[in-house]
Every structure is written in structure tokens, then in C-alpha cells.
Amino acid sequence: MFTEKTVQELAQVLGEKLTQAELVVATAESCTGGGVAYAITEISGSSLWFDRSFVTYSNAAKIEMIDVAASIIKEFGAVSEQVAEQMAIGAVKNSDADIAVAISGIAGPEGGTIDKPVGTVCISWYNAHSHSKTASYLFVGDRSDVRTQAIRLALLGLIEII
Amino acid sequence: MFTEKTVQELAQVLGEKLTQAELVVATAESCTGGGVAYAITEISGSSLWFDRSFVTYSNAAKIEMIDVAASIIKEFGAVSEQVAEQMAIGAVKNSDADIAVAISGIAGPEGGTIDKPVGTVCISWYNAHSHSKTASYLFVGDRSDVRTQAIRLALLGLIEII
């Protein structure tokens, strides 16, 4: 449905849907490094539907800012659905937002393994009032491509869970 | 000196200088919405010199995440050198970073006043080990232009204070 839309168009649609639903969003980002927040705030008036973002690049940031359990990082790795889910829930709990998206992945070109190759991205969407979703993806392309695809999908998923 | 460089080239230079100096950076961003963090993390290997970012879009986020005093926001406004300075210091204090940049501004097209027209951006650079700097700017252009100029200058200033 939104496959032809650009990141900026998706951010516009997201803003309209959040406004209609009277919901506020937050993000928790690792491999996208704040790119989802940057896209959301590119839309004028976004202070009405965007509260804050936790760019938790290091493991310490994930633990300290949004309550990810160190034991979960140790057991499943920072790039895992378990960590992404905790990040999304933690983003809502530590903000004034109702919904959040969390992204943890390996944008490359380094950091890939056989189990988790470059392009592996785990995304979790959490809506405190209704349904949530967590999934893993394998994106193709260079570092910039992987990040852009993750940002696009993060926005699409937020639109879906409103 | 860097006036011809793109945002990505500046982020590359910043990463090299941080690596040489063995310093870690954090950002605290309001009007740029995570754009500085996004630029820094576009460089492969940035986990070595970037810890986290606080995208403190709302006033509550500024107060809760990086210890900006509510009284300072009330007295000088969220877009002020005083608030930007507290944001930068708070970003270092609440992270594992040695240096930070903080940005608060009016990207527009709405939110401008006679005293603080659209394009007004306050930026503060803080180095826990040496010199710091805070200044106000008036950028020309649309929302996207203002944000891009603020991101560029934020990166340039970080390079300067290392």
C-alpha cells in the first residue's frame, strides 16, 4: 500500500494518523542512529505527535536509558528480537509516548556473522493501548541502503499499529 | 576550512579526530531531531566513538533525560543559549561520552517570533576535558535547509573542540 512512498511521505502519513488517533510516538534506535526520529521531525508540527527518541547505540545506553536487561543482551545479543522488544517497551515506559518503534541491526560493512549477516535488522513496534509486533529482516545493500530500508519499514509499521 | 565538505564528509573527519583523541561523543538534539546522530552513525565503525543521543524534542524530555532545569526553560525559553548549554553538559553527564553537542532551534515554518524568528538555532559544544562554546545562529531557508545547516555546524564545532 505504501510501497511507492518516500520516507518523507511516510512520515507525513504517520503524523496525520497519530494526530487523528491523538497518540504520541517515541523511538529507540541503534543501527538507524536517530534516522527514524529525524524523518518524523522533518514534518512541520511534529512536536504535537513526537515526544523524544533514545538513540541507544552502545549496550550501556540500551540498559541505562530504556531498561534493556543486560542478561538479555548477553543471552540473545544486542541484535535480537528480544532486545528490540525490550527497547520498544522501554521507550514508551521512559517517555510520554503511547507507541514506539525500536530498531537494532547490523548495518555493515563490518559486524556480520554467519547467524546474523550484515543487513540483519530486528524491529519491534509497541502500542501501549493495542497490538504490538516484533520481526527480523535481512536487507540487501550497503550501510546506507540497509539503514534507509530499516527507517522506511519502521515508519510503515508505526502506521500499521495505530 | 571545511566549508566545502558535505555532512557525510564532516562526519568522517569527526570520526577520525575522535579516534585519534580517544574521545567519545554524544548528542542532545531538539530541532535537528536526531540528524546529527544519524550523520555520525552513517560512518562505519562509529560505535567506537559514538555512545548515544538524546533526542529531547519536548520540554519534558529535556528535563527528564538531560537535567535541563524547568526554571531555565521558563525564564529563557527552550530555544536559548542557556538551555542549549545545559543540554550539552547534561548529555555528557548522562552518558559515557567525553564531548557533546546540543541543538535547540526553530526550524519552522511555524513557531517563529519577532525576538526569535524561524531559523534561530542555539548550539552548544561541551568538552569535559577542555574548552566549550555556545552560540546562536540565524539560518536562512525552509525547514529542511535550517536543519541541514544546523547539523553541518554542529559537526564542524565538534571537530573544533576536540
Side-chain angles (χ1 to χ4, degrees), chain B residues 87-123:
Chain B
M87 287 169 67
I89 294 169
V92 167
K93 286 200 177 154
N94 289 279
S95 73
D96 295 330
D98 308 279
I99 74 170
V101 63
I103 304 129
S104 188
I106 302 156
E110 289 165 9
T113 62
I114 292 171
D115 286 344
K116 294 176 185 173
V118 167
T120 303
V121 179
C122 301
I123 310 184

Side-chain angles (χ1 to χ4, degrees), chain A residues 44-156:
Chain A
S44 175
S46 49
S47 59
L48 294 174
W49 60 82
F50 177 72
D51 176 45
R52 72 190 71 181
S53 174
F54 307 84
V55 183
T56 55
Y57 216 58
S58 66
N59 286 345
K62 292 176 184 72
I63 295 164
E64 292 166 17
M65 293 175 83
I66 44 176
D67 310 329
V68 174
S71 59
I72 296 289
I73 296 177
K74 195 175 175 188
E75 187 174 354
F76 300 102
V79 178
S80 62
E81 294 187 18
Q82 289 85 352
V83 165
E85 193 171 273
Q86 286 205 344
M87 287 169 68
I89 294 169
V92 167
K93 286 201 176 152
N94 290 280
S95 73
D96 294 331
D98 308 280
I99 74 170
V101 64
I103 303 128
S104 187
I106 302 155
E110 288 165 11
T113 63
I114 293 172
D115 286 345
K116 294 175 184 173
V118 167
T120 302
V121 179
C122 300
I123 310 184
S124 183
W125 297 269
Y126 177 71
N127 183 331
H129 309 300
S130 65
H131 54 302
S132 301
K133 180 185 165 187
T134 304
S136 298
Y137 302 89
L138 182 59
F139 298 122
V140 176
D142 66 13
R143 182 176 182 85
S144 180
D145 295 333
V146 168
R147 298 199 332 150
T148 305
Q149 289 171 86
I151 291 166
R152 256 192 117 266
L153 204 55
L155 293 169
L156 269 168

Side-chain angles (χ1 to χ4, degrees), chain B residues 35-56:
Chain B
V36 180
Y38 184 57
I40 291 171
T41 58
E42 187 75 1
I43 309 303
S44 174
S46 50
S47 59
L48 293 174
W49 59 81
F50 176 73
D51 176 45
R52 72 190 70 181
S53 174
F54 307 85
V55 183
T56 55

Side-chain angles (χ1 to χ4, degrees), chain B residues 58-60 62-63 66-90 104 116 122 124 134:
Chain B
S58 66
N59 286 346
K62 292 175 184 71
I63 296 163
I66 43 176
D67 310 329
V68 175
S71 59
I72 296 290
I73 296 178
K74 196 176 176 188
E75 186 173 353
F76 300 101
V79 178
S80 63
E81 293 186 20
Q82 289 84 351
V83 165
E85 192 171 275
Q86 286 206 343
M87 287 169 67
I89 294 169
S104 188
K116 294 176 185 173
C122 301
S124 182
T134 304

Side-chain angles (χ1 to χ4, degrees), chain A residues 6-8 10-11 14 35-36 39-40 101 125 150-160:
Chain A
T6 65
V7 163
Q8 195 161 348
L10 287 174
L14 174 63
V36 179
I40 290 171
V101 64
W125 297 269
I151 291 166
R152 256 192 117 266
L153 204 55
L155 293 169
L156 269 168
L158 282 173
I159 292 167
E160 271 177 27

Side-chain angles (χ1 to χ4, degrees), chain A residues 2-54:
Chain A
F2 293 112
T3 44
E4 302 297 321
K5 289 197 189 293
T6 65
V7 163
Q8 195 161 348
E9 286 167 343
L10 287 174
Q12 180 75 49
V13 172
L14 174 63
E16 287 161 8
K17 284 204 72 171
L18 287 166
T19 304
Q20 283 166 11
E22 296 183 0
L23 293 176
V24 170
V25 68
T27 78
E29 306 184 48
S30 191
C31 71
T32 49
V36 179
Y38 184 57
I40 290 171
T41 57
E42 187 76 1
I43 309 303
S44 175
S46 49
S47 59
L48 294 174
W49 60 82
F50 177 72
D51 176 45
R52 72 190 71 181
S53 174
F54 307 84

